[in-house]
mmCIF file of all heavy atoms in Angstrom:
data_model
loop_
_atom_site.group_PDB
_atom_site.id
_atom_site.type_symbol
_atom_site.label_atom_id
_atom_site.label_comp_id
_atom_site.label_asym_id
_atom_site.label_seq_id
_atom_site.Cartn_x
_atom_site.Cartn_y
_atom_site.Cartn_z
ATOM 1 N N VAL A 1 0.829 -1.200 0.021
ATOM 2 C CA VAL A 1 0.000 -0.004 -0.006
ATOM 3 C C VAL A 1 0.867 1.257 -0.014
ATOM 4 O O VAL A 1 0.500 2.271 -0.618
ATOM 5 C CB VAL A 1 -0.996 -0.002 1.197
ATOM 6 C CG1 VAL A 1 -0.268 0.031 2.521
ATOM 7 C CG2 VAL A 1 -1.965 1.125 1.085
ATOM 8 N N GLY A 2 2.011 1.203 0.640
ATOM 9 C CA GLY A 2 2.900 2.363 0.640
ATOM 10 C C GLY A 2 3.396 2.725 -0.747
ATOM 11 O O GLY A 2 3.466 3.842 -1.152
ATOM 12 N N SER A 3 3.790 1.657 -1.499
ATOM 13 C CA SER A 3 4.219 1.857 -2.869
ATOM 14 C C SER A 3 3.082 2.365 -3.734
ATOM 15 O O SER A 3 3.263 3.258 -4.560
ATOM 16 C CB SER A 3 4.753 0.541 -3.431
ATOM 17 O OG SER A 3 5.896 0.083 -2.739
ATOM 18 N N ALA A 4 1.890 1.835 -3.489
ATOM 19 C CA ALA A 4 0.719 2.266 -4.273
ATOM 20 C C ALA A 4 0.417 3.753 -4.003
ATOM 21 O O ALA A 4 0.085 4.504 -4.968
ATOM 22 C CB ALA A 4 -0.479 1.401 -3.930
ATOM 23 N N GLU A 5 0.535 4.155 -2.779
ATOM 24 C CA GLU A 5 0.268 5.567 -2.458
ATOM 25 C C GLU A 5 1.279 6.482 -3.138
ATOM 26 O O GLU A 5 0.951 7.534 -3.653
ATOM 27 C CB GLU A 5 0.319 5.754 -0.942
ATOM 28 C CG GLU A 5 -0.877 5.141 -0.199
ATOM 29 C CD GLU A 5 -0.660 5.082 1.300
ATOM 30 O OE1 GLU A 5 0.454 5.366 1.734
ATOM 31 O OE2 GLU A 5 -1.654 4.761 2.014
ATOM 32 N N ALA A 6 2.544 6.025 -3.167
ATOM 33 C CA ALA A 6 3.581 6.823 -3.845
ATOM 34 C C ALA A 6 3.339 6.909 -5.340
ATOM 35 O O ALA A 6 3.392 7.968 -5.959
ATOM 36 C CB ALA A 6 4.955 6.210 -3.577
ATOM 37 N N LEU A 7 3.049 5.764 -5.951
ATOM 38 C CA LEU A 7 2.885 5.703 -7.382
ATOM 39 C C LEU A 7 1.593 6.392 -7.854
ATOM 40 O O LEU A 7 1.472 6.730 -9.036
ATOM 41 C CB LEU A 7 2.898 4.252 -7.858
ATOM 42 C CG LEU A 7 4.246 3.548 -7.663
ATOM 43 C CD1 LEU A 7 4.079 2.051 -7.881
ATOM 44 C CD2 LEU A 7 5.302 4.124 -8.619
ATOM 45 N N SER A 8 0.647 6.602 -6.977
ATOM 46 C CA SER A 8 -0.595 7.253 -7.353
ATOM 47 C C SER A 8 -0.385 8.689 -7.785
ATOM 48 O O SER A 8 -1.232 9.272 -8.472
ATOM 49 C CB SER A 8 -1.589 7.226 -6.199
ATOM 50 O OG SER A 8 -1.160 8.073 -5.104
ATOM 51 N N GLY A 9 0.774 9.263 -7.449
ATOM 52 C CA GLY A 9 1.082 10.621 -7.873
ATOM 53 C C GLY A 9 1.606 10.735 -9.286
ATOM 54 O O GLY A 9 1.768 11.820 -9.811
ATOM 55 N N LEU A 10 1.830 9.593 -9.900
ATOM 56 C CA LEU A 10 2.320 9.573 -11.275
ATOM 57 C C LEU A 10 1.194 9.721 -12.278
ATOM 58 O O LEU A 10 0.039 9.381 -11.989
ATOM 59 C CB LEU A 10 3.112 8.324 -11.581
ATOM 60 C CG LEU A 10 4.383 8.060 -10.771
ATOM 61 C CD1 LEU A 10 4.978 6.701 -11.141
ATOM 62 C CD2 LEU A 10 5.387 9.171 -10.940
ATOM 63 N N HIS A 11 1.523 10.178 -13.495
ATOM 64 C CA HIS A 11 0.525 10.206 -14.566
ATOM 65 C C HIS A 11 0.035 8.802 -14.843
ATOM 66 O O HIS A 11 0.772 7.821 -14.714
ATOM 67 C CB HIS A 11 1.166 10.777 -15.815
ATOM 68 C CG HIS A 11 0.175 11.122 -16.901
ATOM 69 N ND1 HIS A 11 -0.331 10.164 -17.770
ATOM 70 C CD2 HIS A 11 -0.439 12.305 -17.244
ATOM 71 C CE1 HIS A 11 -1.179 10.710 -18.609
ATOM 72 N NE2 HIS A 11 -1.299 12.027 -18.305
ATOM 73 N N LEU A 12 -1.233 8.680 -15.250
ATOM 74 C CA LEU A 12 -1.835 7.372 -15.456
ATOM 75 C C LEU A 12 -1.065 6.555 -16.482
ATOM 76 O O LEU A 12 -0.930 5.340 -16.388
ATOM 77 C CB LEU A 12 -3.292 7.527 -15.856
ATOM 78 C CG LEU A 12 -4.254 7.987 -14.771
ATOM 79 C CD1 LEU A 12 -5.650 8.215 -15.337
ATOM 80 C CD2 LEU A 12 -4.291 6.967 -13.642
ATOM 81 N N ASP A 13 -0.574 7.241 -17.530
ATOM 82 C CA ASP A 13 0.200 6.511 -18.569
ATOM 83 C C ASP A 13 1.469 5.922 -17.989
ATOM 84 O O ASP A 13 1.860 4.803 -18.333
ATOM 85 C CB ASP A 13 0.556 7.442 -19.719
ATOM 86 C CG ASP A 13 -0.649 7.808 -20.559
ATOM 87 O OD1 ASP A 13 -1.692 7.127 -20.447
ATOM 88 O OD2 ASP A 13 -0.568 8.807 -21.303
ATOM 89 N N ALA A 14 2.139 6.679 -17.089
ATOM 90 C CA ALA A 14 3.371 6.166 -16.453
ATOM 91 C C ALA A 14 3.039 5.000 -15.552
ATOM 92 O O ALA A 14 3.797 4.011 -15.468
ATOM 93 C CB ALA A 14 4.047 7.266 -15.696
ATOM 94 N N GLN A 15 1.907 5.088 -14.822
ATOM 95 C CA GLN A 15 1.498 3.981 -13.963
ATOM 96 C C GLN A 15 1.269 2.726 -14.778
ATOM 97 O O GLN A 15 1.668 1.603 -14.417
ATOM 98 C CB GLN A 15 0.247 4.339 -13.205
ATOM 99 C CG GLN A 15 0.435 5.399 -12.154
ATOM 100 C CD GLN A 15 -0.857 5.583 -11.331
ATOM 101 O OE1 GLN A 15 -1.522 4.637 -10.982
ATOM 102 N NE2 GLN A 15 -1.212 6.836 -11.051
ATOM 103 N N ALA A 16 0.583 2.880 -15.914
ATOM 104 C CA ALA A 16 0.286 1.719 -16.762
ATOM 105 C C ALA A 16 1.572 1.097 -17.285
ATOM 106 O O ALA A 16 1.697 -0.148 -17.331
ATOM 107 C CB ALA A 16 -0.613 2.151 -17.916
ATOM 108 N N ALA A 17 2.526 1.938 -17.645
ATOM 109 C CA ALA A 17 3.811 1.413 -18.176
ATOM 110 C C ALA A 17 4.572 0.701 -17.080
ATOM 111 O O ALA A 17 5.165 -0.347 -17.309
ATOM 112 C CB ALA A 17 4.667 2.550 -18.740
ATOM 113 N N LEU A 18 4.525 1.242 -15.849
ATOM 114 C CA LEU A 18 5.196 0.602 -14.744
ATOM 115 C C LEU A 18 4.547 -0.770 -14.447
ATOM 116 O O LEU A 18 5.251 -1.766 -14.153
ATOM 117 C CB LEU A 18 5.078 1.456 -13.489
ATOM 118 C CG LEU A 18 6.039 2.640 -13.419
ATOM 119 C CD1 LEU A 18 5.656 3.550 -12.249
ATOM 120 C CD2 LEU A 18 7.480 2.169 -13.221
ATOM 121 N N ALA A 19 3.259 -0.828 -14.504
ATOM 122 C CA ALA A 19 2.556 -2.072 -14.239
ATOM 123 C C ALA A 19 2.940 -3.152 -15.252
ATOM 124 O O ALA A 19 2.953 -4.340 -14.943
ATOM 125 C CB ALA A 19 1.053 -1.862 -14.259
ATOM 126 N N GLN A 20 3.291 -2.715 -16.481
ATOM 127 C CA GLN A 20 3.692 -3.648 -17.513
ATOM 128 C C GLN A 20 5.215 -3.929 -17.468
ATOM 129 O O GLN A 20 5.682 -4.721 -18.243
ATOM 130 C CB GLN A 20 3.299 -3.112 -18.888
ATOM 131 C CG GLN A 20 1.828 -2.983 -19.042
ATOM 132 C CD GLN A 20 1.439 -2.268 -20.355
ATOM 133 O OE1 GLN A 20 2.306 -1.939 -21.162
ATOM 134 N NE2 GLN A 20 0.132 -2.042 -20.564
ATOM 135 N N GLY A 21 5.900 -3.252 -16.557
ATOM 136 C CA GLY A 21 7.325 -3.474 -16.438
ATOM 137 C C GLY A 21 8.164 -2.729 -17.432
ATOM 138 O O GLY A 21 9.331 -3.066 -17.647
ATOM 139 N N ASP A 22 7.604 -1.643 -18.039
ATOM 140 C CA ASP A 22 8.324 -0.930 -19.100
ATOM 141 C C ASP A 22 9.175 0.236 -18.594
ATOM 142 O O ASP A 22 9.973 0.752 -19.311
ATOM 143 C CB ASP A 22 7.332 -0.417 -20.155
ATOM 144 C CG ASP A 22 6.662 -1.564 -20.904
ATOM 145 O OD1 ASP A 22 7.250 -2.656 -20.963
ATOM 146 O OD2 ASP A 22 5.528 -1.348 -21.410
ATOM 147 N N LEU A 23 8.891 0.656 -17.340
ATOM 148 C CA LEU A 23 9.623 1.826 -16.788
ATOM 149 C C LEU A 23 10.231 1.497 -15.474
ATOM 150 O O LEU A 23 9.814 0.565 -14.753
ATOM 151 C CB LEU A 23 8.668 3.025 -16.634
ATOM 152 C CG LEU A 23 8.083 3.631 -17.926
ATOM 153 C CD1 LEU A 23 7.113 4.743 -17.550
ATOM 154 C CD2 LEU A 23 9.181 4.137 -18.829
ATOM 155 N N ASN A 24 11.222 2.290 -15.074
ATOM 156 C CA ASN A 24 11.904 2.128 -13.786
ATOM 157 C C ASN A 24 11.158 2.956 -12.748
ATOM 158 O O ASN A 24 11.100 4.172 -12.875
ATOM 159 C CB ASN A 24 13.363 2.549 -13.880
ATOM 160 C CG ASN A 24 14.125 2.307 -12.582
ATOM 161 O OD1 ASN A 24 13.737 2.816 -11.543
ATOM 162 N ND2 ASN A 24 15.192 1.529 -12.661
ATOM 163 N N PRO A 25 10.571 2.358 -11.709
ATOM 164 C CA PRO A 25 9.807 3.141 -10.721
ATOM 165 C C PRO A 25 10.626 4.188 -10.009
ATOM 166 O O PRO A 25 10.132 5.266 -9.728
ATOM 167 C CB PRO A 25 9.257 2.076 -9.772
ATOM 168 C CG PRO A 25 10.158 0.896 -9.921
ATOM 169 C CD PRO A 25 10.615 0.942 -11.340
ATOM 170 N N ALA A 26 11.832 3.857 -9.637
ATOM 171 C CA ALA A 26 12.684 4.830 -8.926
ATOM 172 C C ALA A 26 12.912 6.060 -9.767
ATOM 173 O O ALA A 26 12.894 7.181 -9.283
ATOM 174 C CB ALA A 26 13.988 4.178 -8.491
ATOM 175 N N ARG A 27 13.190 5.853 -11.085
ATOM 176 C CA ARG A 27 13.440 7.008 -11.965
ATOM 177 C C ARG A 27 12.165 7.821 -12.123
ATOM 178 O O ARG A 27 12.224 9.076 -12.151
ATOM 179 C CB ARG A 27 13.873 6.496 -13.319
ATOM 180 C CG ARG A 27 14.198 7.613 -14.329
ATOM 181 C CD ARG A 27 14.784 7.007 -15.606
ATOM 182 N NE ARG A 27 15.971 6.304 -15.341
ATOM 183 C CZ ARG A 27 16.609 5.552 -16.226
ATOM 184 N NH1 ARG A 27 16.112 5.411 -17.448
ATOM 185 N NH2 ARG A 27 17.750 4.904 -15.944
ATOM 186 N N GLN A 28 11.016 7.219 -12.201
ATOM 187 C CA GLN A 28 9.751 7.939 -12.374
ATOM 188 C C GLN A 28 9.459 8.836 -11.131
ATOM 189 O O GLN A 28 8.805 9.862 -11.257
ATOM 190 C CB GLN A 28 8.574 6.964 -12.601
ATOM 191 C CG GLN A 28 8.624 6.295 -13.929
ATOM 192 C CD GLN A 28 8.577 7.300 -15.086
ATOM 193 O OE1 GLN A 28 7.689 8.131 -15.143
ATOM 194 N NE2 GLN A 28 9.541 7.231 -15.983
ATOM 195 N N LEU A 29 9.912 8.405 -9.979
ATOM 196 C CA LEU A 29 9.606 9.139 -8.723
ATOM 197 C C LEU A 29 10.655 10.181 -8.451
ATOM 198 O O LEU A 29 10.492 10.949 -7.477
ATOM 199 C CB LEU A 29 9.501 8.158 -7.549
ATOM 200 C CG LEU A 29 8.263 7.206 -7.603
ATOM 201 C CD1 LEU A 29 8.316 6.259 -6.459
ATOM 202 C CD2 LEU A 29 6.982 8.031 -7.601
ATOM 203 N N GLN A 30 11.701 10.308 -9.213
ATOM 204 C CA GLN A 30 12.698 11.324 -8.974
ATOM 205 C C GLN A 30 12.087 12.705 -9.154
ATOM 206 O O GLN A 30 11.354 12.965 -10.109
ATOM 207 C CB GLN A 30 13.865 11.165 -9.974
ATOM 208 C CG GLN A 30 14.812 10.023 -9.611
ATOM 209 C CD GLN A 30 15.954 9.887 -10.627
ATOM 210 O OE1 GLN A 30 15.955 10.605 -11.611
ATOM 211 N NE2 GLN A 30 16.819 8.980 -10.384
ATOM 212 N N GLY A 31 12.372 13.585 -8.179
ATOM 213 C CA GLY A 31 11.880 14.936 -8.249
ATOM 214 C C GLY A 31 10.470 15.087 -7.726
ATOM 215 O O GLY A 31 9.907 16.201 -7.714
ATOM 216 N N LYS A 32 9.865 13.996 -7.245
ATOM 217 C CA LYS A 32 8.517 14.077 -6.697
ATOM 218 C C LYS A 32 8.590 14.715 -5.311
ATOM 219 O O LYS A 32 9.641 14.732 -4.674
ATOM 220 C CB LYS A 32 7.867 12.674 -6.566
ATOM 221 C CG LYS A 32 7.451 12.132 -7.938
ATOM 222 C CD LYS A 32 6.307 12.922 -8.510
ATOM 223 C CE LYS A 32 5.912 12.430 -9.888
ATOM 224 N NZ LYS A 32 4.815 13.221 -10.453
ATOM 225 N N PRO A 33 7.478 15.273 -4.780
ATOM 226 C CA PRO A 33 7.472 15.885 -3.474
ATOM 227 C C PRO A 33 7.894 14.957 -2.366
ATOM 228 O O PRO A 33 7.876 13.705 -2.493
ATOM 229 C CB PRO A 33 5.992 16.293 -3.280
ATOM 230 C CG PRO A 33 5.489 16.417 -4.671
ATOM 231 C CD PRO A 33 6.180 15.366 -5.448
ATOM 232 N N LYS A 34 8.268 15.488 -1.206
ATOM 233 C CA LYS A 34 8.800 14.721 -0.116
ATOM 234 C C LYS A 34 7.933 13.622 0.394
ATOM 235 O O LYS A 34 8.441 12.595 0.917
ATOM 236 C CB LYS A 34 9.177 15.696 1.030
ATOM 237 C CG LYS A 34 10.427 16.473 0.765
ATOM 238 C CD LYS A 34 10.832 17.272 1.995
ATOM 239 C CE LYS A 34 12.126 18.018 1.720
ATOM 240 N NZ LYS A 34 12.530 18.837 2.893
ATOM 241 N N PRO A 35 6.587 13.719 0.324
ATOM 242 C CA PRO A 35 5.768 12.590 0.821
ATOM 243 C C PRO A 35 6.146 11.246 0.213
ATOM 244 O O PRO A 35 5.921 10.202 0.783
ATOM 245 C CB PRO A 35 4.333 12.970 0.404
ATOM 246 C CG PRO A 35 4.357 14.466 0.428
ATOM 247 C CD PRO A 35 5.739 14.834 -0.067
ATOM 248 N N PHE A 36 6.797 11.250 -0.980
ATOM 249 C CA PHE A 36 7.165 9.964 -1.612
ATOM 250 C C PHE A 36 8.550 9.511 -1.149
ATOM 251 O O PHE A 36 8.946 8.378 -1.407
ATOM 252 C CB PHE A 36 7.168 10.121 -3.144
ATOM 253 C CG PHE A 36 5.849 10.513 -3.688
ATOM 254 C CD1 PHE A 36 5.738 11.601 -4.560
ATOM 255 C CD2 PHE A 36 4.721 9.818 -3.373
ATOM 256 C CE1 PHE A 36 4.537 11.968 -5.081
ATOM 257 C CE2 PHE A 36 3.499 10.162 -3.893
ATOM 258 C CZ PHE A 36 3.394 11.279 -4.747
ATOM 259 N N THR A 37 9.362 10.385 -0.521
ATOM 260 C CA THR A 37 10.716 10.085 -0.186
ATOM 261 C C THR A 37 10.789 8.927 0.782
ATOM 262 O O THR A 37 10.096 8.890 1.795
ATOM 263 C CB THR A 37 11.408 11.316 0.411
ATOM 264 O OG1 THR A 37 11.361 12.361 -0.532
ATOM 265 C CG2 THR A 37 12.852 11.007 0.745
#
């Protein structure tokens, strides 16, 4: 649930790509606000 809460801040297209394993989650979260840190 913690990961899901963090990833919910991403664009829906990025979430879909992550779910399919096409993107690196750590890279997508770079530069996000501190709640995700």
